[in-house]
Structure formats: structure tokens, C-alpha cells
Amino acid sequence: MNRKMDRPVQEYAPYFVVFLGISVGTLPTVFLPQGAGALTIVVLFMKVFTGIIGLSITAVGVECYRTKNYRLAVLTGLTIVGWVVLAAAARFHNESSMSLVPIWMWWLAVILVFGLAHRSTSRIVDAAR
């Protein structure tokens, strides 16, 4: 079945960003521990913080859908996916080598992910026009 798509791929970006926002907001609530103890307030703060971040990401997706400006939705989606891949790679490195990644490498990697997402966004949005 080879049917032509009616809408370009970037029109689906707001839906993906809304899904990412809901995931960022709800998954830490499900997977972070509920235990009592000295770190309970830190865990509660992390849940509230990720909830606020998730609501913000969802608002970006809804606004991009409403205004039909897909550039911000594509940039947000690519940045979040890049940071998740970066966190997974860092976790794999930490568990396999039993050493932590230096903070300067974290900052460099975060900036690199954002730069690559920005460059890719320009190519994706401009290619669809």
C-alpha cells in the first residue's frame, strides 16, 4: 500500500511534542520512589519540577498546533529526544566504566545537542517548504 501522505511530516510535530510533554510530566511521578526518609522532600520537588516542565512542553506543542508554526515544535522535540539519548548514553557509560562523566563534558554535550537540534530544525522546516 503506497499511498501519498496528505500532510507533511512536520505537521505531526505538535502532536509529538504534546506527547513528550505529557510523558515528561507523568513518568517521573510513576517511577520515582514514594518512600519516607530524608530525601522525601527532594523526590517530591523533582516530581513537581518535572510536572511543571511537562506542562510547559505540552503548552509549546499546543501553541505550535494553534499557530501552525512548526519550527518551535520540531526544535523542542529534537532537543528533548537528544537529551534523553544523551542521558541514556551517560548512564551506560557510568554503569560500564564505573566512573562519572565530568561536568564540563555534560555542559559541552548539552550545548552540542541543542546546536544539532537547531541545525536539524532549520533543515527539516526549510525542506518542507
Side-chain angles (χ1 to χ4, degrees), residues 27-36 39-44 46-47:
L27 289 178
T29 304
V30 174
F31 290 113
L32 285 175
Q34 299 285 337
L39 294 178
T40 302
I41 192 72
V42 173
V43 172
L44 182 62
M46 286 178 61
K47 288 180 181 181

Side-chain angles (χ1 to χ4, degrees), residues 9-109:
V9 174
Q10 61 176 258
E11 286 191 21
Y12 294 104
Y15 301 120
F16 181 65
V17 171
V18 168
F19 170 74
L20 282 176
I22 292 170
S23 298
V24 166
T26 58
L27 289 178
T29 304
V30 174
F31 290 113
L32 285 175
Q34 299 285 337
L39 294 178
T40 302
I41 192 72
V42 173
V43 172
L44 182 62
F45 174 75
M46 286 178 61
K47 288 180 181 181
V48 169
F49 184 71
T50 56
I52 292 170
I53 296 295
L55 282 173
S56 301
I57 294 168
T58 303
V60 166
V62 169
E63 182 66 17
C64 290
Y65 176 76
R66 188 182 68 79
T67 61
K68 303 292 187 220
N69 182 7
Y70 304 117
R71 182 177 296 275
L72 185 60
V74 172
L75 177 64
T76 304
L78 288 175
T79 303
I80 291 170
V81 169
W83 287 343
V84 167
V85 169
L86 176 66
R91 180 176 178 175
F92 176 75
H93 170 75
N94 290 344
E95 289 180 359
S96 64
S97 69
M98 302 301 263
S99 66
L100 296 176
V101 177
I103 194 72
W104 65 269
M105 286 182 77
W106 273 104
W107 284 111
L108 184 65

